[in-house]
Amino acid sequence: MFILFIVVMVFGADKIPEIARGLGKGMRMLKDASNDIKSEVTKSAHKHGIDTSDFTKNFKEEVDKVKDEVEDAMGSVKREL
C-alpha cells in the first residue's frame, strides 16, 4: 500500500495506466525476444545434430520464473488500482 502511495505521489494518478502499459509492452518484448532466441538455438542445434530438449526445458523454466516475478509485482499494483 505504501509503495502504491509513493508511486502515485511521484508519477501522478493519470500516469499509472501509461506506466502499466509500458511495462506490459516490455514484458511482451522480452517474451518475444526469448522465443526468438530459443527458436534460433533450436534450429542451429538441430542443424548440428544436438539434442536441445534439456536446454530448452531449463531455459523455459528460467524465463517462466522471471515472468512470474514480474506478474507478481504487477498483480499487487493492479489489485490496488
Side-chain angles (χ1 to χ4, degrees), residues 15-51:
K15 295 287 185 182
I16 292 176
E18 184 178 323
I19 293 169
R21 239 180 272 119
L23 287 173
K25 286 180 183 179
M27 288 185 338
R28 179 66 178 175
M29 288 174 60
L30 179 64
K31 181 180 177 183
D32 290 344
S34 67
N35 285 339
D36 288 344
I37 291 170
K38 184 171 86 173
S39 174
E40 289 299 320
V41 168
T42 303
K43 285 179 188 177
S44 178
H46 284 296
K47 186 184 282 186
H48 291 83
I50 300 171
D51 182 26

Side-chain angles (χ1 to χ4, degrees), residues 1-20 23 72-81:
M1 185 71 168
F2 180 71
I3 293 172
L4 180 62
F5 177 72
I6 297 297
V7 169
V8 171
M9 293 300 294
V10 171
F11 296 108
D14 57 331
K15 295 287 185 182
I16 292 176
E18 184 178 323
I19 293 169
L23 287 173
D72 286 344
M74 289 301 299
S76 64
V77 172
K78 289 179 184 177
R79 283 189 293 266
E80 295 297 327
L81 293 176

Side-chain angles (χ1 to χ4, degrees), residues 27 30 61-71:
M27 288 185 338
L30 179 64
E61 288 173 358
E62 291 299 319
V63 170
D64 288 342
K65 285 180 189 176
V66 171
K67 180 182 172 186
D68 290 341
E69 290 174 4
V70 171
E71 287 178 349

